[in-house]
Amino acid sequence: MVIVPTYNERENLEPLVRRILAADAIVDLLIVDDNSPDGTGALADAIAAATPGRVAVLHRERKQGLGPAYVAGFAWALHRRYARIVEMDADGSHQPEQLGDLLAALGGGTVLAIGARWIPGGEVVNWPWYRRAISRAGTGYARLLLRSSLHDITSGFRAYERAALESIDRTTLSADGYAFQIELAWRLERAGAGIREVPITFVERTHGQSKMSLRIVIEALVQVTRWGLQGVPKA
């Protein structure tokens, strides 16, 4: 099950869905929409109706952040007994054609496969220098404070074995924005879970506006600093 949270992604949704479904015949898709005012949720319903059995939609009442959207999607997929669950952005930055690489990395003790930009073979396309600098600096800060060995702990393109998500008390996850990715990966890393980083190509969106904001950046910095100094509950 691939989970794609959406908020005002009407322009990107349909081509992304086509690529995801074409990437692997056994992959299903859950769109988690936060009541997008641009009609993304209605379009998602139309796509699901035209693709019965492979696309489902989970509607939420309002925009509550990336973390809560994924937690709701995880609960939906786990309840339906999906064996592997994938996170993917809706803006086209993550390439569905690389889904197979992530899924192939699971198994043999690996319960989390992270699509990494900052390892050999990883690539970022159409990002200005300052976006690269911010991402690299944020990743470096998190690695230092959390004493993590992961090279791209902020990446949002990742695949989990269901056992990994079941091992986490998801009610205690505290981050709403992009720090959610850091928190979840770090909890699993601290618990000794098998994690593997897989090189991916990250492409800057061509339609719509980035959801990254100063508030989200500050939240991540504050959360990482607090976790580094105080720790978080065990997985």
Side-chain angles (χ1 to χ4, degrees):
M1 170 59 70
V2 176
I3 300 174
V4 175
T6 57
Y7 186 77
N8 288 348
E9 295 289 358
R10 185 178 178 87
E11 290 181 282
N12 294 309
L13 186 60
E14 200 161 13
L16 178 66
V17 171
R18 286 199 302 267
R19 292 172 63 192
I20 290 173
L21 298 185
D24 195 321
I26 66 168
V27 167
D28 293 338
L29 171 64
L30 174 66
I31 301 165
V32 183
D33 186 68
D34 277 7
N35 198 18
S36 298
D38 74 343
T40 300
L43 176 59
D45 284 336
I47 293 171
T51 322
R54 294 201 66 189
V55 179
V57 185
L58 177 61
H59 293 279
R60 303 202 309 151
E61 293 184 359
R62 64 188 187 280
K63 186 179 181 181
Q64 296 175 305
L66 184 72
Y70 270 126
V71 169
F74 292 158
W76 192 98
L78 290 171
H79 178 71
R80 287 158 180 80
R81 307 304 300 172
Y82 280 93
R84 291 174 170 180
I85 298 170
V86 178
E87 296 183 19
M88 180 182 287
D89 287 352
D91 59 10
S93 57
H94 301 148
Q95 307 309 295
E97 294 75 20
Q98 295 183 313
L99 263 172
D101 296 334
L102 284 182
L103 295 173
L106 293 174
T110 298
V111 298
L112 168 58
I114 297 178
R117 298 158 291 184
W118 313 121
I119 62 174
E123 185 180 6
V124 174
V125 177
N126 294 334
W127 255 15
W129 68 267
Y130 62 87
R131 288 287 301 275
R132 292 172 182 261
I134 290 171
S135 181
R136 294 299 295 265
T139 299
Y141 185 74
R143 291 188 74 196
L144 177 65
L145 265 288
L146 304 180
R147 295 172 290 281
S148 171
S149 63
L150 299 174
H151 297 86
D152 201 351
I153 196 171
T154 64
S155 173
F157 192 17
R158 47 179 69 179
Y160 301 87
E161 295 279 7
R162 68 174 291 114
L165 294 175
E166 289 175 331
S167 73
I168 296 284
D169 182 356
R170 297 182 300 281
T171 65
T172 63
L173 292 168
S174 59
D176 291 337
Y178 287 86
F180 171 81
Q181 308 291 15
I182 300 173
E183 181 178 11
L184 195 48
W186 185 48
R187 286 200 185 193
L188 289 170
E189 186 181 21
R190 275 202 325 166
I195 302 176
R196 181 176 171 187
E197 293 184 287
V198 179
I200 61 166
T201 298
F202 181 97
V203 180
E204 174 66 336
R205 68 161 63 232
T206 56
H207 300 291
Q209 295 183 337
S210 172
K211 306 304 185 297
M212 183 64 70
S213 66
L214 181 60
R215 183 193 68 81
I216 290 173
V217 172
I218 292 174
E219 180 210 23
L221 288 173
V222 170
Q223 294 275 46
V224 167
T225 302
R226 179 171 63 84
W227 296 331
L229 296 177
Q230 300 177 0
V232 297
K234 293 182 178 181

